[in-house]
Amino acid sequence: MHALVARHWAAVIVNYWENCLHEGLLDLSQPIDLVDLMPGASGVNTWMMHQALSQRLSGSALGRLRYRLLPVVTDRMHVREWRDVAEWQQAESDGWMVPLLWNRQALPCLLHQSGRREWRSQNPVTILVQQMLAARPKQVYAAHYGKLLQAPFERLLQGDEGEDNGPWKPADPACLPDRLAASLQAILSRFNSVPLAWPTEEVGALENLFSMATNGYLALIEAPGEESDRSIRLRTFPELVQSYRDTGMVPLNFRLLAEYFSRCGGICTEVESRSQRRCMQAVIGGPPGQAGDLPKRVFSIFDKDEWARHAPLLTAMKALAAHRDRMALDSALINLQCAASDPELFSTAFQSVLASIKNNQPLDRDDWTEAARAVWGWHLPVDGSLLHREIAAVSMRMGDWGFARQVLQRGLQSNPRQASDLGYLAWCELRTGRSDLASSLLEEALSIDRQDPIACEVKARLLERRALFDNAWRKPIAHPTLPLVLEPLDCMHAEALLVQYRDPQIAIMTGLQALSTVEQARKWIVEHDDEVGRHAYAVMHRDHGLVAYVCLSNSAHASYFCFWVGVDYQGQGLSGPAASLLCDYARQMGITQFYTSIYDDNVRSVRSLVRVGFKPMRIRALNPDQDRCFYYSCDPDVTEEQATRELIDYHVREKLPLRFPGMEPEKPPLADASSALVE
């Protein structure tokens, strides 16, 4: 445990006690127990928690409160080691620390110097779980395209692929405890393919403690893992195993834990640190969980960003030791957060930060986006200040185009109009699909300074893009009411496309090529642009830039439709409007029938297709492509039978590899007589 974590937990715990006292749930004549499940070597974690609580309680209304820290030990040998430490001798003498002997095979008991006593608490109990649940599990589960699988963690650790599907076998929910089965089912219905580490023994021990805390409990967990949908989707199976090899801890799915603890009668809340890939979780149960809005009042302290502000400092400690060559960005962000987002500090570090970003040093886009916004919140734009340009430059690098536009417009209001500011603003418009507005801004910028390097560079990029346009398929298609534009995909989109394509599930579920570098993305764009009849578009949002991808592959009067939504914008209702916009334009261009294929378990994409008018087809491809279903969107007078014939004809015309029932088998090429003689 770090001192910063201890300080935050102390704030949460004292707030919990204050609310319990307010509800009449505390008996101040009896001690209030804190059970520490991971006290650390010689109790270092327990000691740190005591220091933090002492500081927090000084001057508090709970001055009469008497708490006991109960570090859990599994045998008396640990107790003898502790009693060799002078501080613990005094603590035990004063009565605020009592070892709790518990090996999970028998009921826990207090080890007073005068002897052993059964443990019973007359007040709500606080349980410091810390990282106990990140222990090595015996089994790992997986939600995998609608199926629940399980594998021995030992075999995953050994890299044992074995035969068939390797270590992964179907898991029978009927053979699992009811609470776990129901919790896994909740995750299964929400995600395509995610690993689910489950520490059975540790969770069982915690559940036993919950049942023994008859007057209620507050449990605090802090460990590697994820809680948000996006973070859970991005956690891969190899990362799970590698994390254990590197740290000795297995990342937890805190969404699964919350599902399970809620079924134990608990009320949960979580806070996630994206940069550290760690989470904090609080669970309140028993009478305090039923006392009106008590959990809400406690969670109001927990949900504030105090812990999130601590996490970057911990990152810096590790970076200083292991990544000295990458400290420019890390140091700047940490110093900025510790200084409450001071604008002067931001300006001082701006040049080195921008240089580090341009050199493609690894960075957390979300943290830097939030940092730039926080700095701007302190700033009063006045004549002569160029902070707006610095903030906009970082925000544009993070893809926060809407905020960069807002900052630049405010800077133009408070300063004389300068060519560079107009050039940056034109770049915002160009990167969000509004090339006409970019053109008018550049015209004004170059009328002020025809040699301005920013304006000249942006104009060159604009002309490069417009040279690729025509009056047919290669032209921007604007949505009539929403802030969306379909822009013909070109190499200028490569970097943004790669950022939004970083969820590996996108490539898997669409059957497209996996991309890991900007160079690969550019090559992929060029190769597909050369295909006759293929028309790919970047879906551009006015504030976010590239948010999705749509494509039509035309053949005669029919077209094959493909789409995906970027990892940062899934679930925001963007796929439907983008698909409708493209199909409506295609109808103007003479395309009357649209087809697409989708894997059976891609439920979210199926819903999107149905919303824009696609209907399912009964036809299936032959092995090995029978694991996908087909959808069509045609004029109302086209029957499914007619659509099926056209689908097959499309594949024949385009010489596509899928085979369907009733298709003539491919004829082998005629043998070359001369080559046969040579053989």
Side-chain angles (χ1 to χ4, degrees):
M1 176 181 287
H2 295 280
L4 294 169
V5 174
R7 282 173 50 190
H8 180 57
W9 279 12
V12 175
I13 293 167
V14 171
N15 180 262
Y16 173 68
W17 289 341
E18 289 172 343
N19 279 281
C20 286
L21 181 63
H22 180 267
E23 297 292 336
L25 299 173
L26 281 188
D27 181 357
L28 294 181
S29 68
Q30 299 294 324
I32 303 174
D33 290 338
L34 291 92
V35 178
D36 193 347
L37 294 173
M38 290 191 70
S42 299
V44 293
N45 291 341
T46 304
W47 179 261
M48 193 171 290
M49 197 69 241
H50 166 62
Q51 298 297 328
L53 281 169
S54 298
Q55 294 173 18
R56 190 73 187 187
L57 285 169
S58 62
S60 166
L62 297 175
R64 296 180 295 125
L65 180 142
R66 182 165 55 97
Y67 68 85
R68 287 188 308 189
L69 276 163
L70 309 181
V72 172
V73 295
T74 55
D75 58 60
R76 287 181 173 272
M77 182 64 71
H78 290 107
V79 178
R80 285 193 287 269
E81 293 174 359
W82 284 35
R83 285 173 177 163
D84 289 335
V85 179
E87 287 81 1
W88 285 131
Q89 292 175 12
Q90 186 63 48
E92 197 168 5
S93 176
D94 293 341
W96 63 260
M97 189 285 289
V98 182
L100 186 67
L101 180 63
W102 188 36
N103 58 14
R104 303 180 189 172
Q105 304 301 317
L107 292 175
C109 62
L110 298 169
L111 295 180
H112 289 282
Q113 289 179 326
S114 58
R116 180 186 301 194
R117 298 178 192 172
E118 181 182 357
W119 173 61
R120 287 182 181 176
S121 181
Q122 304 301 316
N123 277 309
V125 177
T126 298
I127 305 170
L128 306 179
V129 185
Q130 302 189 59
Q131 300 176 155
M132 184 187 78
L133 300 184
R136 175 172 173 164
K138 291 182 178 179
Q139 292 283 333
V140 175
Y141 297 95
H144 192 63
Y145 304 116
K147 298 178 182 178
L148 181 63
L149 306 178
Q150 64 181 6
F153 186 70
E154 183 65 31
R155 289 188 62 185
L156 296 179
L157 204 57
Q158 294 171 355
D160 179 10
E161 295 299 329
E163 300 176 355
D164 301 324
N165 293 324
W168 293 101
K169 306 299 180 187
D172 184 2
C175 297
L176 299 174
D178 291 343
R179 288 172 180 167
L180 178 57
S183 302
L184 289 168
Q185 188 60 43
I187 300 298
L188 191 66
S189 64
R190 190 175 183 92
F191 298 96
N192 286 329
S193 183
V194 295
L196 302 165
W198 187 253
T200 302
E201 294 182 3
E202 288 74 16
V203 171
L206 187 55
E207 195 172 351
N208 286 338
L209 270 180
F210 289 172
S211 65
M212 286 184 273
T214 55
N215 293 295
Y217 59 85
L218 164 67
L220 294 172
I221 305 164
E222 195 268 345
E226 295 81 30
E227 183 276 331
S228 67
D229 281 8
R230 183 179 65 175
S231 298
I232 290 172
R233 285 197 302 269
L234 292 175
R235 172 67 73 181
T236 66
F237 290 79
E239 283 180 342
L240 190 81
V241 176
Q242 191 59 46
S243 177
Y244 180 80
R245 292 192 179 115
D246 293 343
T247 67
M249 292 182 288
V250 178
L252 298 169
N253 186 312
F254 278 81
R255 184 72 60 79
L256 176 60
L257 286 174
E259 291 282 352
Y260 187 89
F261 291 144
S262 66
R263 288 172 170 81
C264 297
I267 301 174
C268 307
T269 191
E270 295 80 28
V271 173
E272 178 180 302
S273 169
R274 290 181 301 267
S275 59
Q276 284 220 304
R277 303 193 79 173
R278 298 180 73 87
C279 282
M280 265 193 185
Q281 185 175 62
V283 186
I284 294 178
Q290 302 163 13
D293 63 347
L294 184 148
K296 182 179 179 181
R297 296 198 301 268
V298 175
F299 292 162
S300 69
I301 298 294
F302 188 85
D303 286 344
K304 290 180 181 178
D305 291 335
E306 184 174 355
W307 176 69
R309 288 196 295 270
H310 300 336
L313 286 176
L314 307 182
T315 302
M317 296 174 191
K318 298 175 183 177
L320 281 169
H323 300 290
R324 294 181 183 277
D325 56 329
R326 287 174 41 191
M327 280 306 296
L329 279 173
D330 292 338
S331 295
L333 181 59
I334 291 158
N335 289 337
L336 190 61
Q337 291 170 328
C338 292
S341 306
D342 179 68
E344 184 178 355
L345 181 63
F346 179 88
S347 291
T348 301
F350 170 71
Q351 291 299 334
S352 61
V353 167
L354 197 62
S356 299
I357 294 173
K358 289 180 177 179
N359 290 334
N360 295 317
Q361 286 194 21
L363 78 163
D364 190 301
R365 296 169 62 89
D366 292 329
D367 280 352
W368 272 105
T369 296
E370 293 172 6
R373 286 174 172 261
V375 170
W376 185 249
W378 286 105
H379 179 60
L380 178 65
V382 293
D383 189 7
S385 170
L386 297 180
L387 182 66
H388 65 278
R389 196 177 296 174
E390 298 169 352
I391 292 288
V394 171
S395 297
M396 288 189 289
R397 284 284 175 176
M398 299 303 109
D400 195 5
W401 298 103
F403 181 67
R405 179 188 295 115
Q406 173 189 331
V407 168
L408 287 167
Q409 289 172 340
R410 185 68 184 91
L412 285 166
Q413 291 173 358
S414 59
N415 290 281
R417 296 176 79 81
Q418 299 183 36
S420 292
D421 290 339
L422 292 164
Y424 279 126
L425 189 55
W427 183 238
C428 280
E429 307 303 351
L430 181 60
R431 292 301 301 271
T432 53
R434 306 204 294 180
S435 57
D436 288 343
L437 184 53
S439 180
S440 62
L441 288 167
L442 288 171
E443 183 177 349
E444 181 183 357
L446 294 173
S447 69
I448 296 172
D449 182 357
R450 300 197 64 81
Q451 305 300 319
D452 181 77
I454 301 298
C456 289
E457 181 180 356
V458 176
K459 182 177 181 180
R461 303 291 285 275
L462 174 63
L463 294 176
E464 178 184 342
R465 171 162 288 172
R466 284 187 163 178
L468 301 174
F469 290 173
D470 59 27
N471 290 320
W473 290 98
R474 293 200 62 85
K475 61 179 287 189
I477 307 168
H479 196 283
T481 58
L482 298 177
L484 296 177
V485 173
L486 305 185
E487 199 166 63
L489 192 69
D490 61 40
C491 289
M492 200 184 300
H493 297 112
E495 185 176 351
L497 182 140
L498 185 66
V499 169
Q500 294 307 320
Y501 195 69
R502 67 188 188 277
D503 180 358
Q505 291 299 315
I506 294 176
I508 292 171
M509 300 307 286
T510 58
L512 296 174
Q513 175 185 338
L515 304 172
S516 58
T517 67
V518 175
E519 290 72 24
Q520 288 178 350
R522 290 195 183 103
K523 182 180 178 183
W524 182 81
I525 291 170
V526 170
E527 289 174 351
H528 284 75
D529 189 50
D530 291 339
E531 293 183 18
V532 176
R534 185 183 183 95
H535 306 292
Y537 296 84
V539 181
M540 308 299 289
H541 188 281
R542 181 176 59 204
D543 292 332
H544 309 308
L546 191 150
V547 296
Y549 164 95
V550 291
C551 177
L552 289 177
S553 296
N554 298 339
S555 176
H557 59 280
S559 187
Y560 221 80
F561 175 64
C562 173
F563 78 99
W564 55 262
V565 178
V567 63
D568 293 328
Y569 303 103
Q570 293 175 12
Q572 298 184 21
L574 295 171
S575 58
S580 296
L581 183 60
L582 180 57
C583 291
D584 288 346
Y585 182 77
R587 291 185 182 95
Q588 299 176 28
M589 299 297 291
I591 301 298
T592 59
Q593 299 187 25
F594 302 90
Y595 300 90
T596 191
S597 61
I598 194 166
Y599 289 111
D600 290 330
D601 43 32
N602 194 348
V603 179
R604 289 186 300 167
S605 294
V606 167
R607 288 198 296 262
S608 298
L609 289 171
V610 171
R611 279 197 295 266
V612 297
F614 276 83
K615 295 182 285 188
M617 306 176 73
R618 288 187 291 270
I619 191 170
R620 288 275 178 159
L622 298 175
N623 287 337
D625 301 301
Q626 78 284 3
D627 58 346
R628 66 193 74 190
C629 48
F630 294 86
Y631 283 74
Y632 74 104
S633 176
C634 302
D635 292 336
D637 57 345
V638 176
T639 66
E640 183 182 345
E641 181 181 356
Q642 293 171 324
T644 300
R645 287 200 300 270
E646 177 56 38
L647 174 68
I648 295 174
D649 290 345
Y650 181 101
H651 281 76
V652 172
R653 288 196 303 270
E654 298 301 312
K655 298 181 175 61
L656 298 177
L658 267 63
R659 310 296 295 166
F660 295 91
M663 289 179 65
E664 294 184 7
E666 290 185 335
K667 297 179 180 179
L670 295 174
D672 187 331
S674 59
S675 64
L677 289 174
V678 172
E679 293 176 354

